[in-house]
Amino acid sequence: MRVRIIALSAALVALAGVTLREQSRSEVQDLWNRALEQLGMPLPSRRDAGLVLRDYYANRVAAGLMTPRSGAGEIIELARDLRDVFPDQQYVGDGLGITGLVGLYYSHDDVPTGADDVHDRIDAELFAECRRMVSEA
């Protein structure tokens, strides 16, 4: 499948294996944009891409492909990276709709050493929060 997609775009063929040492960032960006155009795939806005990535991580957690703590960490990092697009209004993470996830994630910090059962309960709540996010997406 991957080979077929690359064959549909000369720009993707040109991008295959390219490093920034070989070409400038702007040349690589130009090839990427041309590849998307050749494949008929519009470049999403940062907002749309952020929502897709948030839902991707939540789906991976809900499917058991990623631990709840790792998935929540990725989503929180995404919120930090996109704070200009999803600014906090009243609570941390509310711009991206992850306030509950943020609270649960950081509650791990308050767990005493050796209280693995508490970590497990928090992870179960993170899992449930990711499932909720998936069902509302």
Side-chain angles (χ1 to χ4, degrees):
M1 181 68 170
R2 290 181 189 164
V3 174
R4 264 191 256 156
I5 290 173
I6 289 175
L8 294 174
S9 170
L12 276 181
V13 171
L15 271 174
V18 166
T19 66
L20 289 178
R21 282 184 233 127
E22 297 168 349
Q23 293 188 315
S24 72
R25 184 173 301 277
S26 64
E27 290 172 320
V28 171
Q29 182 66 44
D30 181 56
L31 284 171
W32 175 250
N33 290 337
R34 281 193 287 153
L36 290 176
E37 184 179 316
Q38 289 168 355
L39 294 170
M41 300 173 68
L43 185 64
S45 67
R46 287 183 75 217
R47 178 176 180 73
D48 290 345
L51 292 172
V52 167
L53 196 51
R54 178 202 62 191
D55 295 346
Y56 168 78
Y57 286 126
N59 271 298
R60 288 186 54 83
V61 170
L65 300 172
M66 188 174 217
T67 67
R69 207 176 312 181
S70 295
E74 292 295 337
I75 293 169
I76 290 167
E77 186 65 30
L78 174 68
R80 277 191 207 115
D81 291 344
L82 296 177
R83 70 181 134 228
D84 61 318
V85 179
F86 298 102
D88 297 335
Q89 301 300 312
Q90 187 173 5
Y91 301 103
V92 174
D94 64 1
L96 190 55
I98 61 165
T99 303
L101 191 89
V102 172
L104 288 168
Y105 180 81
Y106 286 110
S107 66
H108 277 293
D109 295 345
D110 298 327
V111 176
T113 303
D116 292 338
D117 59 319
V118 178
H119 285 296
D120 291 344
R121 276 184 284 187
I122 295 168
D123 285 339
E125 290 181 56
L126 282 169
F127 178 81
E129 181 65 10
C130 286
R131 286 188 55 161
R132 183 198 62 76
M133 290 168 60
V134 167
S135 72
E136 292 179 2

